[in-house]
Amino acid sequence: MAAKVFVSIGKFGLALAVVGSMLNSALYNVDAGHRAVIFDRFCGVQDIVVGEGTHFPIPWVQKPIIFDCHSRPLNVPVITGSKDLQNVNITLYILSWPVASQLPCIFTSIREDYDERVLPSITTKILKSMVSHFDAGELITQRELLSRQVTATFGLILDDVSLTHPTFGKEFTEATALMILNTTFLLPLSQKSL
């Protein structure tokens, strides 16, 4: 009698595990600030972007790919030349996130690591072309203007672009320091002689 009870409990437990596994594969959650793109094994990537909440894909046919749509920071170091042929090392600080409606296109062309694959190359190319229009002195005084001119495509929104840590070549830095020293120390001497 006890053996029959254990056998029936085992069968019930196995059936419950199979049903639970099926239900688990038939649900997925999209957390706040995330979006999902559906990959269908027969049709490919669907053009529909799924919002936050619990959703029901077709088990073993559809697979959700979750994207984080929060703003994410990225630092891109760039070495380029200015209009007056000075070497400039600039770190470009970027806050970006994907355009939700463009996620299927982003997934098919770039994949999930879009920010690490696309942003450094795009921003480096754009920044080099922009920096070449400014001389070294203008890069210091007009950093905000240059930051606003850096934009990107590929379905990404650049929320904040900042030029940080601009450093110049050794010759330019020494010449600037020497010029500052000369104006600081020579100005009082010329005023004394008056």
Side-chain angles (χ1 to χ4, degrees):
M1 182 69 155
K4 286 184 180 181
V5 171
F6 286 124
V7 169
S8 62
I9 289 175
K11 287 181 182 178
F12 178 73
L14 180 62
L16 186 62
V18 169
V19 169
S21 174
M22 289 177 64
L23 283 175
N24 188 34
S25 68
L27 293 174
Y28 69 95
N29 288 324
V30 178
D31 295 330
H34 293 74
R35 299 290 181 269
V37 173
I38 304 298
F39 175 76
D40 190 307
R41 295 187 198 282
F42 300 115
C43 302
V45 177
Q46 296 181 351
D47 289 334
I48 300 168
V49 177
V50 180
E52 302 163 353
T54 301
H55 304 280
F56 302 96
I58 301 170
W60 300 290
V61 175
Q62 293 180 334
K63 176 185 172 190
I65 294 95
I66 309 291
F67 280 88
D68 182 3
C69 291
H70 290 104
S71 180
R72 292 192 283 189
L74 181 68
N75 285 318
V76 180
V78 179
I79 300 173
T80 186
S82 65
K83 182 170 79 175
D84 55 353
L85 303 177
Q86 298 297 323
N87 286 334
V88 183
N89 297 329
I90 298 175
T91 300
L92 192 62
Y93 175 79
I94 306 166
L95 281 177
S96 66
W97 68 83
V99 177
S101 62
Q102 297 291 319
L103 287 176
C105 179
I106 290 172
F107 178 71
T108 56
S109 61
I110 307 172
R111 297 289 181 197
E112 293 101 335
D113 58 346
Y114 60 89
D115 57 340
E116 296 170 3
R117 295 177 83 186
V118 172
L119 280 178
S121 62
I122 293 173
T123 54
T124 299
K125 180 180 175 184
I126 293 170
L127 184 65
K128 283 184 177 186
S129 70
M130 300 303 249
V131 167
S132 66
H133 293 87
F134 292 88
D135 62 31
E138 292 172 336
L139 287 175
I140 296 171
T141 60
Q142 298 181 7
R143 280 181 10 193
E144 288 184 31
L145 173 67
L146 185 59
S147 296
R148 285 192 303 256
Q149 292 178 354
V150 177
T151 59
T153 56
F154 293 95
L156 302 174
I157 295 174
L158 300 182
D159 184 36
D160 182 26
V161 178
S162 300
L163 298 174
T164 60
H165 310 298
T167 57
F168 300 95
K170 180 181 176 185
E171 297 82 14
F172 180 78
T173 306
E174 288 175 356
T176 306
L178 185 61
M179 183 178 72
I180 291 171
L181 284 174
N182 285 341
T183 57
T184 305
F185 292 113
L186 293 179
L187 185 63
L189 291 176
S190 64
Q191 287 179 350
K192 288 181 182 179
S193 64
L194 294 174

